[in-house]
Amino acid sequence: CNFTRDAINTYNSWKDKAAAANQATVNHCIWDNNRITDIGSQLRCEKLISKNVLYVSQFLNDNGELLSYMPFIRKWNILGMDLPTTDYASYKLAIRRFHNPSSRTSNISLVDPEISLSYLTNSLRTQVVINGTCITVNSKKIRDKMANLDTPDLLTPIKVWENSLKARNPNFNFVWSTVFNNLFYKSTNHHKLIQSHYKILHRISTSRYMRHKMGIDKDGNICSLCDSGQLETLDHIFIDCSVTADFLSQVSNFIIKHVDLNYEDTARSYLFTLSHPDPCVNFINISLTWFLSRSLQTKVAPKFPVFLRTLNGLLLGEKHIISQRMDSILSSELGLVSAAR
């Protein structure tokens, strides 16, 4: 279709612009990318792909520097036998050459805001040029600006989600600035959950459809869980997939039983906006979207008992108002699950 063609052409144009300017961004997919190569050979590692390690940014530490071998495998829970040091050295060199083709030893220390974040940063006024030098965009600044943005509903991905949600519930009418404020500051202490949900809202979380277009998923772009024959897009995963719907129904019954007797979210409003008055419901929902995304990326149907155990593990370091209640709820529920097995 025209949209798919335009999207792929735009992505390829973006890659070419980044490489031509010698200002590679951290948002590029490293696999099967003719711009990121091991002396001309494209890179591909099925083990890292199965762990959802796809982008240059996932090879960097918080300072924007390439991770050394041991911190990298610890970060992504990878066995040494699955990733030889020689392979990892090739990936690092390929990333360095991509960042600066004129040097084989240059490390990544800069993020190119003009390309990778131009739309977001320009609209949020996070780019500052002093004496011709562009100040590096900081993720905390982006988060704070996004939380304080009065009109996030004007962003294209938010408009798309709002249309999808209104199709299920014509009365859907949430204040998106409040949604982002809740996401960043009230939903959870876990950054990975916040980041995952943020990517979903901005429609930059990957689906099988997009991974297939990027050349990562070679098997196809149809939903790997249900038998609908539909493309596995974000809308299909979270709204239309019958397997997802069954799983969400189990989670809703859990919420009704333990947290809110009147809970109902067939329109997926609370799931996306995290705007339920009870913080435990919002914590369950943000954990759910992360768990569901991870399940789909590994092509494994989401299992409710596995989700409960995952939820229990996420309580470590969580906000006290959430962890105290959820610990009691999950202790009894996991006991029942264990007894049933």
Side-chain angles (χ1 to χ4, degrees):
C1 65
N2 291 336
F3 172 78
T4 301
R5 181 198 62 204
D6 292 344
I8 297 302
N9 288 341
T10 299
Y11 179 69
N12 288 331
S13 175
W14 176 54
K15 288 197 299 183
D16 290 340
K17 181 181 178 183
N22 289 345
Q23 292 179 320
T25 79
V26 298
N27 295 326
H28 275 310
C29 176
I30 187 173
W31 312 120
D32 298 325
N33 190 327
N34 59 11
R35 297 281 182 180
I36 307 177
T37 64
D38 180 17
I39 316 180
S41 300
Q42 291 182 352
L43 307 176
R44 187 173 183 86
C45 178
E46 298 294 344
K47 181 58 66 173
L48 292 183
I49 290 173
S50 70
K51 293 282 188 178
N52 200 35
V53 179
L54 308 176
Y55 300 104
V56 172
S57 60
Q58 293 169 294
F59 288 77
L60 308 180
N61 62 22
D62 293 338
N63 296 322
E65 301 167 336
L66 278 166
L67 290 163
S68 57
Y69 178 73
M70 290 305 298
F72 179 82
I73 63 173
R74 284 196 296 266
K75 178 178 181 179
W76 298 109
N77 193 26
I78 297 167
L79 298 176
M81 67 179 70
D82 293 328
L83 180 63
T85 55
T86 52
D87 288 356
Y88 187 66
S90 296
Y91 303 154
K92 288 178 64 175
L93 287 173
I95 292 171
R96 286 171 175 167
R97 281 192 292 268
F98 176 57
H99 172 64
N100 189 348
S102 65
S103 172
R104 289 178 176 268
T105 59
S106 177
N107 204 344
I108 289 182
S109 60
L110 298 174
V111 176
D112 175 21
E114 291 289 345
I115 298 174
S116 62
L117 296 171
S118 60
Y119 174 73
L120 180 62
T121 55
N122 285 338
S123 63
L124 299 181
R125 302 180 184 275
T126 57
Q127 287 181 326
V128 180
V129 179
I130 301 177
N131 296 327
T133 301
C134 186
I135 302 298
T136 302
V137 175
N138 182 285
S139 59
K140 182 179 182 299
K141 291 180 182 179
I142 295 176
R143 182 199 67 190
D144 292 342
K145 291 285 186 178
M146 193 74 225
N148 295 324
L149 186 64
D150 293 330
T151 56
D153 52 301
L154 297 181
L155 298 173
T156 300
I158 303 303
K159 290 180 180 179
V160 175
W161 277 127
E162 184 154 321
N163 290 336
S164 297
L165 295 172
K166 280 186 175 180
R168 297 178 66 89
N169 176 16
N171 296 321
F172 177 87
N173 186 28
F174 282 87
V175 179
W176 284 100
S177 57
T178 302
V179 171
F180 280 101
N181 190 276
N182 290 341
L183 170 63
F184 291 135
Y185 303 117
K186 298 180 181 180
S187 60
T188 178
N189 282 344
H190 287 284
H191 179 68
K192 66 179 180 183
L193 301 185
I194 296 173
Q195 184 182 58
S196 174
H197 204 82
Y198 180 87
K199 287 181 176 180
I200 291 169
L201 290 179
H202 281 279
R203 305 180 75 86
I204 55 177
S205 180
T206 61
S207 60
R208 192 181 187 195
Y209 170 73
M210 289 307 300
R211 289 194 297 274
H212 180 71
K213 288 294 183 182
M214 295 164 69
I216 297 171
D217 195 323
K218 303 294 187 179
D219 298 329
N221 53 18
I222 303 301
C223 181
S224 56
L225 300 186
C226 70
D227 56 2
S228 66
Q230 297 297 307
L231 294 175
E232 190 185 281
T233 61
L234 290 178
D235 290 78
H236 178 78
I237 292 171
F238 292 101
I239 296 178
D240 300 322
C241 179
S242 58
V243 175
T244 296
D246 291 341
F247 175 67
L248 293 180
S249 178
Q250 290 180 288
V251 176
S252 292
N253 289 337
F254 172 80
I255 294 174
I256 292 170
K257 178 180 178 182
H258 294 289
V259 185
D260 180 2
L261 292 174
N262 300 313
Y263 184 75
E264 191 277 325
D265 194 33
T266 55
R268 310 286 195 265
S269 300
Y270 288 133
L271 179 67
F272 282 97
T273 64
L274 307 176
S275 299
H276 192 277
D278 192 313
C280 286
V281 173
N282 296 328
F283 173 71
I284 292 170
N285 277 330
I286 195 173
S287 302
L288 189 158
T289 57
W290 173 78
F291 177 82
L292 191 57
S293 295
R294 191 177 65 169
S295 297
L296 267 293
Q297 287 162 357
T298 56
K299 303 177 185 177
V300 176
K303 302 295 185 183
F304 183 65
V306 179
F307 173 65
L308 289 184
R309 291 193 291 272
T310 301
L311 197 62
N312 188 56
L314 290 170
L315 291 180
L316 183 64
E318 191 46 73
K319 299 178 186 293
H320 182 69
I321 191 174
I322 295 172
S323 62
Q324 188 175 39
R325 288 179 60 200
M326 290 302 302
D327 183 62
S328 176
I329 292 170
L330 288 170
S331 295
S332 61
E333 190 69 21
L334 286 171
L336 292 174
V337 170
S338 179
R341 296 178 62 186

